[in-house]
Each structure stands twice: as structure tokens, then as C-alpha cells.
Amino acid sequence: MNKFNPIGVFDSGYGGLTILTELQHKMPDYDFLYLGDNARAPYGPRSFDVVYEFTLEAVQYLFNQGCELVILACNTASAKALRTIQQKDLPHLFPSKRVLGVIRPSTEAIGELSQTNHVGILATEGTVKSESYVIEISKFSPNTIVSQHACPIWVPLIENNKHFTEAGKMFIKEDVESLLQKDEQIDTIILACTHYPILKDYIQSIVPKNVTIVAQGAIIADKLEDYLVRHSEIESKCSKNGSTRYLTTENELIFNQNASRLLNKNIISEHIKLL
Ligand code: DGL
């Protein structure tokens, strides 16, 4: 039997599928193991402690399945749990394994995207309150002015497939307008929640023509490829059969239905229980 040491991709729910798709596209030979904690999504309104606890459980699960590297394809988990896991847990639990997030690679790329140097961030409440984007962007692009707006209703809308109803679209439009009202020079909006690229075309259709909507997936895929080139000790342990398995903490039939619709292909998942 081929060895299966996939790259783990974790999200609170369906959002990380937008990152996974780009990873599969950029790195078709690698194996991936996707885990959505759909039963406990959304993470956005949860406290630091709870997001950290849930994320650590997921990371441990993925490591125990043979992953050498796990991507937290969730901004909220990256903002609230990544640093503690990297600094406190990995050194004694799994010293040779690695966990990477999505915020730093995205903020490294942001400076090159805006012409006006005025950038807007749409994210969950947890990511906005953590100020992670503001702090990280100030390191890489100190002249960039950052405005943030939290969209607490968007993840529940997407998880429940209500985002393209008339009411759903109205909520989304109001949030986008609230962000643009904070700074009329914004020319670049970062979708800083991995669920939001599902709404990208709609958002692009309701903003002024000079505003570009940026999803993180392609940026993360480029950065991961680069990381693997620089870290051959991890890369050499990743199996390459070009396959993906999907795990969910929700009912697998519900996951299959929603994930298949979002990805426009047939997804078969397995139900798992985290601690
Ligand atoms: N996809 C997660 C993110 O990127 C959504 C968080 C949630 O579950 O609220 O932040």
C-alpha cells in the first residue's frame, strides 16, 4: 500500500476548501487530508481559549493520521491559536512536525496589491479583534492604511447555504458598504476569512470598479510551495499520490452535499469525532 503522509488542511468548516482547491491546483502530486470542524463552526465569535483548544485537538488528530505538516486554513484559528501551538505545544508534543497559518503569508503579499496604499479587511469578529492583520501589515508595508470590518453573519450564512438568498445578499452588501465608508481611498479588499471567497464574484459586482477583491488561496499556495522548497526535511516526508481525503465533525452526508456544491465536484467525506 502507498504511504499516506498528507498535508493537513484544517478549517472550522467549509472555508478551508477555498484554500485546499488552490493547493491541489498548484501541487497536484501531493496528498491532502482536509478536516472541517463543521459541528462547532463558527469559530469567529468564540474566545481565544476555546479556539485554541479546538484547533489543538484538530492539529493533534491530523498529526496522528500521518500529517507532517498542517495548514491552519482558517484565519480565526491562525489569529488565535497558531502562535501558542507553534511555541508551546509543538516543541514537546511533536517536535519534528510543523503547523503554518494563513495570515502572515497573506500580509507579506498585500503591500504589492494596492495602488493607493489603502487596504480594507473583511474578516470574522475574532480575526478583527485580534488585530493580527493590522499588526502584520505594519511590519511588511508600514505605509499601508488598514481599515477592518467584522462580518459575523457571513460564516453562518455560508455554513447553512443561505448566502445567495435575497436576505443573505442584503446583509453582505451592508457589510461591504460599511467597510468602504471607513475609508473612501480603499482600492483593495482582502477576504481575510477562508469562507469568503465563495462570495468573491458577488462582492466584486457590488463595489466600485477601481476596487479589487483579493482571495487568499493563490497566495497561500505560492507561499507553501516556496516553504517546501526551503524545508526539504518536511517536503521529503510528504506522500505524493495526488489524493485527498475529507473529514468532518458534522454528519458526513451534509458535508458531502455542501462541499460538492461549493467545489462543483463529487466529495465523499468521513465523519470523525474530536476529543
Ligand atoms: N474560515 C474561517 C476563517 O478564515 C471562519 C471562521 C469561523 O468559523 O467563524 O476565519
Side-chain angles (χ1 to χ4, degrees):
M1 206 171 109
N2 289 339
K3 70 169 190 157
F4 191 62
N5 295 108
I7 297 174
V9 180
F10 169 68
D11 183 52
S12 60
Y14 297 109
L17 295 172
T18 64
I19 303 285
L20 175 70
T21 304
E22 297 291 343
L23 299 182
Q24 290 167 321
H25 180 69
K26 185 98 191 170
M27 305 189 296
D29 296 340
Y30 287 83
D31 294 323
F32 295 99
L33 183 57
Y34 185 84
L35 170 53
D37 191 9
N38 303 74
R40 302 190 290 194
Y43 279 16
R46 295 188 187 273
S47 69
F48 261 81
D49 289 351
V50 170
V51 173
Y52 160 64
E53 189 188 312
F54 288 1
T55 305
L56 181 60
E57 286 170 13
V59 166
Q60 283 180 301
Y61 189 93
L62 289 167
F63 283 161
N64 289 331
Q65 297 297 305
C67 298
E68 292 295 327
L69 171 66
V70 171
I71 311 298
L72 300 185
C74 175
N75 289 269
T76 311
S78 299
K80 293 185 166 184
L82 177 65
R83 186 161 304 208
T84 316
I85 292 177
Q86 282 176 332
Q87 293 178 357
K88 181 173 143 280
D89 301 304
L90 282 192
H92 71 96
L93 286 177
F94 301 95
S96 65
K97 301 197 183 226
R98 294 289 173 267
V99 180
L100 303 174
V102 288
I103 296 181
R104 191 170 179 145
S106 305
T107 54
E108 278 172 10
I110 282 170
E112 298 148 27
L113 302 173
S114 170
Q115 303 296 313
T116 60
N117 275 339
H118 289 251
V119 165
I121 303 290
L122 293 170
T124 67
E125 224 178 325
T127 300
V128 167
K129 281 197 187 140
S130 76
E131 298 268 319
S132 299
Y133 274 87
V134 178
I135 295 166
E136 290 293 324
I137 292 173
S138 72
K139 291 184 197 157
F140 299 111
S141 319
N143 298 327
T144 300
I145 313 291
V146 183
S147 303
Q148 307 191 89
H149 180 74
C151 313
I153 194 93
W154 290 17
V155 172
L157 282 175
I158 293 167
E159 288 284 314
N160 295 294
N161 190 24
K162 295 279 189 285
H163 46 292
F164 288 142
T165 59
E166 283 313 307
K169 288 201 279 193
M170 192 188 73
F171 282 123
I172 294 162
K173 191 159 186 274
E174 275 177 10
D175 279 321
V176 173
E177 285 168 356
S178 300
L179 173 69
L180 290 173
Q181 275 161 16
K182 291 185 178 171
D183 177 358
E184 58 186 28
Q185 291 191 64
I186 290 173
D187 71 346
T188 306
I189 294 179
I190 316 297
L191 302 180
C193 168
T194 54
H195 281 68
Y196 299 176
I198 292 162
L199 311 172
K200 184 175 177 223
D201 291 346
Y202 174 63
I203 299 173
Q204 189 69 70
S205 77
I206 57 171
V207 295
K209 291 231 166 350
N210 66 318
V211 178
T212 307
I213 309 299
V214 178
Q216 298 170 295
I219 299 172
I220 304 303
D222 283 348
K223 300 278 180 185
L224 178 60
E225 207 180 31
D226 183 52
Y227 175 90
L228 291 173
V229 170
R230 288 182 287 108
H231 293 270
S232 55
E233 77 287 2
I234 299 288
E235 200 285 334
S236 58
K237 292 183 196 154
C238 297
S239 59
K240 298 172 193 77
N241 307 297
S243 71
T244 302
R245 275 176 61 207
Y246 297 85
L247 309 175
T248 176
T249 55
E250 242 296 354
N251 176 294
E252 69 276 21
L253 298 178
I254 297 177
F255 185 93
N256 294 349
Q257 199 178 24
N258 287 329
S260 301
R261 180 179 42 76
L262 292 170
L263 297 180
N264 209 10
K265 64 181 182 192
N266 194 27
I267 301 295
I268 309 285
S269 66
E270 298 152 53
H271 169 79
I272 60 128
K273 276 197 171 74
L274 293 173
L275 291 186

